[in-house]
Amino acid sequence: MAKLSLRAVQKLTCKKRDAWWTVVLVDPVATRMLIVMARFRFITPNRVTWAALFVGLGSAAMFLKGDTQSLIIGAALYHLSFIFDCIDGKLARLKGNGTVFGGWLDYVFDRIRVLFCALALMGGQYLRTDDERFLLAALLVVFLDMLRYVDALQIYKMRMSMRAKIEKVTREKQEAELAAAEAAQGTAEEPAAPKIQFMEDLLRENPEAEAQTLKEQAAAGHVVDLHAQFRHRFPWYQRFRQALLRSRIRPHLISGIEFQMFIFIVGPLIGRILEVTVISAVLLGIFELVIMYKFWLSTRDFTAVMEELSVTPTQAGTIAPHLHRGRHRRGEQDPLLVDQRLIDPQPDEDPFFQPYPEPYTSQEPGGWEEGHTLRLQVPGGSLGARPSSLPQQRRYPGERESVR
C-alpha cells in the first residue's frame, strides 16, 4: 500500500463533528497509529475491535487491584482501548471494508467494556475501603451509560420515523394536487418526485451558514425544520455551535464519551473516584434532560408540519361521534356492533362449535309437560336428548356424532 500522508488520513477518516475528548486527545494519536496499521492486510476493523475489548478487560483487571499504581496503569490502558475503538472505524472508512456486523460488534463491546471496568473500579475500591458508596457508584455508572446510549438510539429511531412520515404525506399531497389539476384541465403528467430538504441536513453540510439563509437559498424545494422552536427559544445556540464546529467539536460537551473518560481516566489519575463520578453523573443527567427537552420541541414542530401538509383535517384529540352520550338511544349504533356475523355466526366460522341442547316441549295433549327435557339413561348418569322425530343436527366433515 502506498505511503499515506497524515493530512490525507485525517481528511479521509476523521469525522466532521466529534466529541471534544476525541478531537483533542484521541485523533492526533489514532491517525498516526492508523498510518502504520493500514499497511498490513491482516489488520482488519473487526480485529481492532477485538483488540480494544481485550485491552479494556486488562484495564478492568488493573482497576480491581485498587492501589494507586494499578489505577494509573488501568487509566492508561482504558485510554489505549478507546484509541483502538476509534481506529477500527477510521480503518473501515479508509479501506472501505466496514460491515454492518462490525458496527454491531463495536457497539456491544463498548457496553461490555464499560460494564466490566465500572464493576472492577468500584469493586476494587470497596474491597480496600469497605465503603458501600462505591457499590452504589458502580450501579450509577452502569445505569447512566445504558440510559445514554439507549436514549440516543431511540431518539434517532424516532427522528427517522418522523422524517419518513413527512416525506410520505408530502408525496400524497403532491399526488392529490396533481390529480385535481388533471381533472380540471384534462391533462396527464408524470408526477415529479417530491423535493424535501431537512434543515438539520443543510446545517450539517454548511455549518457556518445561518438557518434562515439556507431556507431562502433552498426556495426551489420544500425545507422542513424540525428544530425551529428550539432555535427560536435559544438563538445563541447557533452561534455557540458554529464556534465549536470550526474545531470539529460537537456541541454535546458532556456526552457518553466524556462521561466514561472522566470516570475511568481522570478519577483514577487524581485519586478522587467518588467525587468525579458524582460530578460526571450530574452533568450527564443535565445533558440528558436537555436532549429530551430538545426532542420534545422537535415533536411539536413535527406535529405542526404534519397538520400543514395533511390533505384531510385531523381529528386528533376529539371523541368519535358514535361514543357521544345518548347516541345509542337515538337508534344510531356503531356498524361494528350491528355486524350480522357477530350476532348470528355461521357454523363454518367455527367447525367445532356445538350449541347446548335445547329443551323439548310437546304440543300434543297428554304429552310432555312444557319445559320438560327428554332424558336418556346412560352409565354414570343421564343426558338430555331430543326425540328421534326431531330433525338431527347438521354434522360437518370430520366431526364425530355425539349423543343428544
Side-chain angles (χ1 to χ4, degrees):
M1 185 175 181
K3 186 177 180 180
L4 299 173
S5 65
L6 178 61
R7 188 176 186 86
V9 171
Q10 291 175 342
K11 186 176 181 179
L12 291 173
T13 62
C14 293
K15 298 179 181 178
K16 294 183 179 180
R17 300 184 305 167
D18 214 333
W20 66 266
W21 184 281
T22 304
V23 173
V24 176
L25 299 175
V26 176
D27 279 349
V29 180
T31 50
R32 288 170 171 82
M33 294 177 62
L34 179 62
I35 293 176
V36 178
M37 298 171 66
R39 299 174 183 175
F40 302 96
R41 292 186 177 181
F42 70 90
I43 299 180
T44 63
N46 287 352
R47 290 176 179 175
V48 177
T49 304
W50 278 98
L53 174 65
F54 290 140
V55 175
L57 295 179
S59 172
M62 292 293 104
F63 286 151
L64 189 59
K65 293 184 177 181
D67 57 276
T68 302
Q69 183 179 359
S70 298
L71 290 178
I72 295 175
I73 296 176
L77 288 176
Y78 193 90
H79 191 254
L80 179 61
S81 173
F82 186 72
I83 291 176
F84 281 148
D85 187 37
C86 293
I87 289 177
D88 59 3
K90 297 180 186 297
L91 184 61
R93 288 189 289 272
L94 182 63
K95 291 188 174 183
N97 57 351
T99 61
V100 176
F101 177 77
W104 172 84
L105 196 71
D106 180 50
Y107 177 81
V108 172
F109 281 4
D110 286 348
R111 308 283 70 76
I112 294 176
R113 180 181 58 195
V114 171
L115 174 63
F116 275 83
C117 287
L119 296 178
L121 177 62
M122 303 306 173
Q125 296 304 303
Y126 170 73
L127 295 176
R128 289 176 60 86
T129 63
D130 287 332
D131 190 345
E132 296 179 352
R133 292 179 298 175
F134 286 103
L135 299 180
L136 297 177
L139 295 176
L140 180 65
V141 171
V142 173
F143 170 75
L144 288 178
D145 179 77
M146 175 198 68
L147 175 65
R148 171 71 197 103
Y149 284 91
V150 169
D151 185 45
L153 289 176
Q154 186 64 19
I155 288 180
Y156 174 78
K157 176 182 176 182
M158 297 304 297
R159 288 192 184 281
M160 293 299 102
S161 175
M162 290 191 296
R163 292 173 63 135
K165 291 180 180 178
I166 289 175
E167 292 174 350
K168 178 182 177 182
V169 172
T170 303
R171 183 165 51 251
E172 292 176 351
K173 182 178 181 181
Q174 187 178 27
E175 292 174 355
E177 293 176 351
L178 181 61
E182 291 177 358
Q185 302 177 3
T187 59
E189 299 179 359
E190 289 293 331
K195 188 176 181 181
I196 307 172
Q197 294 176 298
F198 292 90
M199 182 61 69
E200 54 186 322
D201 295 338
L202 298 177
L203 289 174
R204 188 179 297 110
E205 297 171 359
N206 307 275
E208 298 292 334
E210 295 289 339
Q212 185 62 31
T213 304
L214 292 175
K215 191 171 184 179
E216 294 174 356
Q217 293 177 352
H222 183 61
V223 179
V224 176
D225 190 358
L226 294 180
H227 299 284
Q229 292 195 39
F230 182 83
R231 198 174 293 109
H232 175 72
R233 297 191 183 191
F234 305 96
W236 55 266
Y237 175 78
Q238 185 66 19
R239 297 189 296 271
F240 173 71
R241 177 178 178 273
Q242 292 174 352
L244 291 178
L245 290 181
R246 295 189 185 101
S247 302
R248 293 198 306 112
I249 298 176
R250 62 187 182 185
H252 301 168
L253 298 181
I254 307 294
S255 63
I257 293 177
E258 290 79 15
F259 177 69
Q260 296 177 31
M261 301 305 119
F262 272 89
I263 291 176
F264 299 124
I265 297 178
V266 176
L269 288 179
I270 67 176
R272 298 289 183 179
I273 297 176
L274 271 181
E275 292 85 345
V276 172
T277 299
V278 172
I279 294 174
S280 302
V282 171
L283 292 177
L284 183 64
I286 295 174
F287 169 75
E288 283 300 307
L289 291 177
V290 172
I291 291 296
M292 294 176 186
Y293 175 71
K294 185 179 179 181
F295 179 65
W296 174 68
L297 292 179
S298 182
T299 58
R300 297 184 62 180
D301 289 326
F302 168 73
T303 302
V305 171
M306 292 294 289
E307 291 178 353
E308 179 183 351
L309 296 176
S310 179
V311 178
T312 57
T314 178
Q315 296 183 354
T318 62
I319 300 177
H322 69 278
L323 296 179
H324 290 172
R325 181 179 178 182
R327 192 142 182 107
H328 62 283
R329 299 174 184 174
R330 295 194 296 268
E332 300 181 15
Q333 299 183 14
D334 191 340
L336 179 63
L337 300 179
V338 298
D339 193 337
Q340 187 64 25
R341 292 175 301 173
L342 300 178
I343 299 177
D344 186 17
Q346 299 299 317
D348 54 358
E349 296 180 4
D350 186 0
F352 302 101
F353 172 76
Q354 297 189 17
Y356 289 105
E358 299 178 0
Y360 167 70
T361 302
S362 174
Q363 301 298 330
E364 300 178 1
W368 296 93
E369 296 182 3
E370 183 178 359
H372 284 202
T373 303
L374 180 65
R375 312 294 294 184
L376 295 179
Q377 297 296 328
V378 296
S382 60
L383 294 175
R386 296 178 178 178
S388 57
S389 59
L390 295 179
Q392 298 296 323
Q393 184 181 1
R394 176 184 177 186
R395 297 200 307 274
Y396 300 94
E399 181 185 358
R400 299 179 61 181
E401 182 179 2
S402 59
V403 180
R404 292 293 187 189

